[in-house]
Amino acid sequence: MASHRVGEADSGAPHHHHIPYAIPHMLHHPNNSTFINQEGSAFDFGELEEAIILQGVKINNDDKKQPLYTAIRPAATLDMFPSWPMRFQQHTPRGSSKSGEESTDSGSAVNTLSNTPESPSDHRQPPPPPPQMDAAGGIDSPRLSGSHSQPAAKPAPEKTLRRLAQNREAARKSRLRKKAYVQQLESSRIRLAQLEQDLQRARSQGLFLGGGGAASGSISSGGAIFDMEYSRWLDDDHRHMSELRTALQAHLSDGDLRVIVDGYIAHYDEVFRLKGAAAKSDVFHLITGMWTTPAERCFLWMGGFRPSDLIKMLIPQLDPLTEQQFMGICSLQHSSQQAEEALSQGLEQLQQSLVDTIANGSANDSMHHMAVALGKLANLEGFVRQADNLRQQTLHQLHRLLTIRQAARCFLVIGEYYGRLRALSSLWASRPRESMIADDNSCQTTTDLQMVQSSQNQFSNF
Amino acid sequence: MYYQTGSYNFPPKRSVATDPLERIERMAAAHAVVIFSNSTCCMCHAAKRLFCGMGVNPTVYEIDQDPRGKDLEKALLRLLGGASAVPAVFIGGKLVGAIDTVLASHINGSLVPLLKDAGALWL
């Protein structure tokens, strides 16, 4: 049997998908040896079971070096639990060979049986993964490889190996279920956003400004797209910050540090570019701060942070500064304040003009007034653009004024500051609210709100 | 702030047919800080407030109130190369740009020296 396995493994790419000889808690088949002996069997009961459990998640076996526990292309999903490594250590080829015969057929079988993961349709709620199996599965890989050096104990190996393989398989299945669940959540979120948008459209027939759409929390598709891009940007931000942190601690050379800092600047340039695109498709989403966490929204100015406030926060954190640097940064703060004031006044005039237009909209002339008002609303995008321009320029100027080491620390401080602000939002959202328990209705609302917020914050917290 | 409204009567009648670009150049050269604006444009209001806030007195031409404003607008649009003809800011007769350039130059500290050189700002 062992040679059979080895032959299998050598013939194809080293796959690591193990359908164990027996999955007692899943199958009712007493005789399991039939699976083992069929080389390259296209249809495996274990495969069918797995496919059903996975609920239409496609397993990609095309990569040569398929890690053990990653079956789905990670690019399609948001890594909701990045602290759980998406790629585990790989099995040695010998390790996979033992139960590796399934690997060749698992790909083909499951691929034919499953749907594409992108379809947001009926994902059933996956059963909770057996926790002890997970742990066992995680530890199993080295143990299994070790076990292949043929331990002396003769009666143990087959049963042990079978059990280990089962554990591995169960662990893998639970990981895949988790992935499927995450994708389900993701697609439900998009669906929810679109449903809200449709609902909003239906409700706002003939109403100006969408009848208080912002209050009902509807997200346009442009807004939903930006939210996804932004959450990815936040993940990137986390990565950049770790890089900065380790670079500073490792006392890298200025040249190396410069590369990292430049990368961080480019990372910020990217978010401003994203916001620019979002401003075109849904300026309200930006300007009302629906893309940020509630705590950040408190301090929102024209769709983002207020640059002069940021500098004010930074000055004490950037010590020691030379006299010249200090003057430069104070001057930067001053200029930023003036620019913010100018833009705020411009926006105020826009709002006043809008109020006048709407107030004077008579029944006879309503269409004309609507058209005029729409034209004025279009200017909002310009203001958000200029505010972002101001933010971007401020960060670049900071970069110019500081030494490379100071700049690295500066950006780390900024990142950590906003990270804490976001964390504050999460904590606030999940704080215990005993007063709500009595009232069923409000409890429901609270829970929903919490879910929405925590799903939002989940992305920003990592 | 000084507003120049109506037709620009200073040059003799035959230069009414002047190329709008030339007109712009001439208008811009006439004062230290010149803003081409639109009376209904809120971003122009922001530009004006910025300079006033710095203690500068810009000269403002409201091109929507100029009889040949359309030509000016087209010429400015070409000069700025952007989406909007206004606000267009000239300092010391030279084009600085639209609001984004003005803000950027203020943040990077180059606006104030420009203003001082043009005599629009004294420390």
Side-chain angles (χ1 to χ4, degrees):
Chain A
M1 212 154 51
S3 56
H4 193 79
R5 252 9 105 246
V6 171
E8 268 294 337
D10 289 343
S11 60
H15 288 287
H16 305 296
H17 290 281
H18 311 269
I19 309 293
Y21 327 126
I23 313 170
H25 61 286
M26 307 234 187
L27 294 183
H28 305 295
H29 249 259
N31 181 10
N32 302 311
S33 55
T34 44
F35 304 111
I36 307 161
N37 290 325
Q38 286 163 22
E39 176 177 344
S41 68
F43 189 85
D44 224 351
F45 216 95
E47 298 300 336
L48 175 59
E49 189 70 36
E50 185 182 347
I52 292 170
I53 286 164
L54 290 172
Q55 300 158 22
V57 173
K58 185 169 85 172
I59 295 179
N60 186 353
N61 279 336
D62 295 335
D63 307 283
K64 276 206 172 113
K65 292 199 155 198
Q66 189 72 21
L68 171 63
Y69 302 127
T70 308
I72 308 172
R73 277 185 302 263
T77 18
L78 279 171
D79 190 6
M80 193 157 146
F81 303 105
S83 58
W84 301 35
M86 283 179 74
R87 294 183 187 282
F88 284 66
Q89 48 184 311
Q90 295 196 18
H91 268 248
T92 63
R94 274 205 39 97
S96 67
S97 67
K98 192 72 179 182
S99 41
E101 109 283 9
E102 312 87 0
S103 52
T104 45
D105 49 30
S106 69
S108 52
V110 178
N111 275 334
T112 51
L113 288 173
S114 58
N115 315 320
T116 65
E118 273 77 22
S119 65
S121 53
D122 47 320
H123 283 216
R124 278 162 282 155
Q125 203 66 346
Q132 73 281 11
M133 293 299 208
D134 263 4
I139 314 167
D140 263 348
S141 38
R143 215 190 295 153
L144 184 62
S145 326
S147 73
H148 270 284
S149 44
Q150 293 310 321
K154 269 301 170 181
E158 235 193 82
K159 280 211 177 103
T160 316
L161 293 167
R162 191 181 309 164
R163 184 173 52 77
L164 292 174
Q166 288 168 23
N167 288 351
R168 256 199 330 277
E169 189 50 39
R172 184 175 78 92
K173 283 196 164 72
S174 79
R175 268 180 287 272
L176 292 174
R177 273 196 300 273
K178 182 185 85 177
K179 274 205 179 293
Y181 180 56
V182 169
Q183 282 198 312
Q184 179 190 358
L185 278 180
E186 221 183 305
S187 46
S188 298
R189 193 166 170 264
I190 299 177
R191 217 171 352 132
L192 176 69
Q194 281 169 351
L195 278 173
E196 278 178 323
Q197 183 191 13
D198 294 340
L199 183 65
Q200 195 49 45
R201 279 218 196 98
R203 239 195 276 137
S204 68
Q205 288 291 334
L207 280 177
F208 188 60
L209 283 181
S216 72
S218 65
I219 313 176
S220 71
S221 56
I225 290 170
F226 176 72
D227 283 352
M228 306 217 116
E229 291 173 330
Y230 180 62
S231 68
R232 248 172 249 142
W233 185 87
L234 283 173
D235 292 340
D236 265 350
D237 194 59
H238 193 245
R239 187 177 43 84
H240 276 275
M241 291 220 319
S242 309
E243 228 184 320
L244 265 175
R245 214 174 279 123
T246 44
L248 280 169
Q249 284 166 357
H251 297 291
L252 291 185
S253 72
D254 276 8
D256 294 335
L257 210 49
R258 189 175 305 277
V259 171
I260 296 177
V261 171
D262 286 348
Y264 202 59
I265 297 259
H267 169 69
Y268 261 102
D269 287 344
E270 174 66 16
V271 81
F272 293 124
R273 190 188 63 78
L274 290 173
K275 286 179 80 183
K280 282 193 176 63
S281 66
D282 189 358
V283 68
F284 283 121
H285 185 69
L286 286 182
I287 211 167
T288 54
M290 296 315 296
W291 57 282
T292 55
T293 57
E296 285 174 291
R297 226 172 285 151
C298 268
F299 301 100
L300 201 76
W301 172 77
M302 228 172 268
F305 67 85
R306 192 183 270 271
S308 57
D309 280 350
L310 181 68
I311 299 169
K312 217 183 299 176
M313 183 275 290
L314 280 172
I315 290 181
Q317 311 265 346
L318 290 176
D319 261 348
L321 291 169
T322 67
E323 185 71 28
Q324 194 181 23
Q325 283 178 325
F326 184 72
M327 298 295 290
I329 293 185
C330 286
S331 160
L332 174 62
Q333 185 185 350
H334 186 55
S335 316
S336 185
Q337 264 167 341
Q338 286 174 329
E340 290 160 24
E341 185 58 32
L343 285 176
S344 295
Q345 290 190 19
L347 186 62
E348 221 176 276
Q349 199 198 48
L350 176 63
Q351 287 169 337
Q352 190 55 54
S353 161
L354 211 46
V355 163
D356 290 341
T357 304
I358 300 169
N360 291 325
S362 59
N364 315 342
D365 223 1
S366 60
M367 280 320 293
H368 170 69
H369 281 272
M370 290 305 190
V372 169
L374 278 173
K376 292 186 178 173
L377 261 188
N379 290 307
L380 265 180
E381 184 203 329
F383 279 96
V384 176
R385 276 300 296 135
Q386 290 313 317
D388 278 345
N389 178 32
L390 198 63
R391 293 174 191 119
Q392 189 175 21
Q393 294 303 320
T394 303
L395 291 174
H396 280 251
Q397 180 68 358
L398 269 174
H399 185 205
R400 268 179 236 121
L401 287 170
L402 301 170
T403 67
I404 196 64
R405 204 154 294 270
Q406 285 171 324
R409 255 179 45 235
C410 173
F411 288 119
L412 193 58
V413 166
I414 294 175
E416 284 176 345
Y417 175 76
Y418 286 113
R420 270 180 239 131
L421 204 51
R422 280 178 226 125
L424 196 61
S425 285
S426 290
L427 288 171
W428 182 257
S430 55
R431 78 194 189 284
R433 277 173 264 199
E434 301 86 16
S435 52
M436 294 293 196
I437 297 173
D439 185 351
D440 263 354
N441 284 343
S442 61
C443 193
Q444 189 61 38
T445 320
T446 309
T447 322
D448 291 341
L449 194 60
Q450 239 175 322
M451 270 163 52
V452 169
Q453 280 180 340
S454 27
S455 72
Q456 247 184 341
N457 294 331
Q458 291 250 3
F459 300 125
S460 20
N461 258 338
F462 298 120
Chain B
M1 224 176 332
Y2 307 105
Y3 283 89
Q4 303 274 358
T5 53
S7 51
Y8 197 71
N9 280 322
F10 166 66
K13 192 118 209 276
R14 66 182 132 87
S15 25
V16 159
T18 306
D19 170 43
L21 263 173
E22 267 189 51
R23 269 195 74 199
I24 291 171
E25 261 175 62
R26 231 177 319 132
M27 288 150 102
H31 303 273
V33 180
V34 172
I35 305 179
F36 289 91
S37 156
N38 189 314
S39 55
T40 58
C41 168
C42 305
M43 199 53 87
C44 299
H45 183 74
K48 295 172 207 166
R49 300 298 338 149
L50 177 66
F51 285 103
C52 292
M54 295 167 66
V56 172
N57 275 330
T59 303
V60 181
Y61 292 107
E62 304 282 8
I63 63 174
D64 57 331
Q65 290 165 0
D66 188 295
R68 282 168 295 158
K70 283 279 188 280
D71 298 332
L72 290 177
E73 193 183 336
K74 272 189 229 134
L76 285 169
L77 202 55
R78 243 180 299 131
L79 266 179
L80 292 179
S84 173
V86 289
V89 175
F90 290 78
I91 299 180
K94 290 205 189 69
L95 173 67
V96 174
I99 187 74
D100 55 350
T101 325
V102 172
L103 288 177
S105 77
H106 192 34
I107 291 296
N108 69 31
S110 58
L111 188 64
V112 167
L114 253 182
L115 289 167
K116 287 189 181 161
D117 285 345
L121 202 59
W122 297 273
L123 187 54

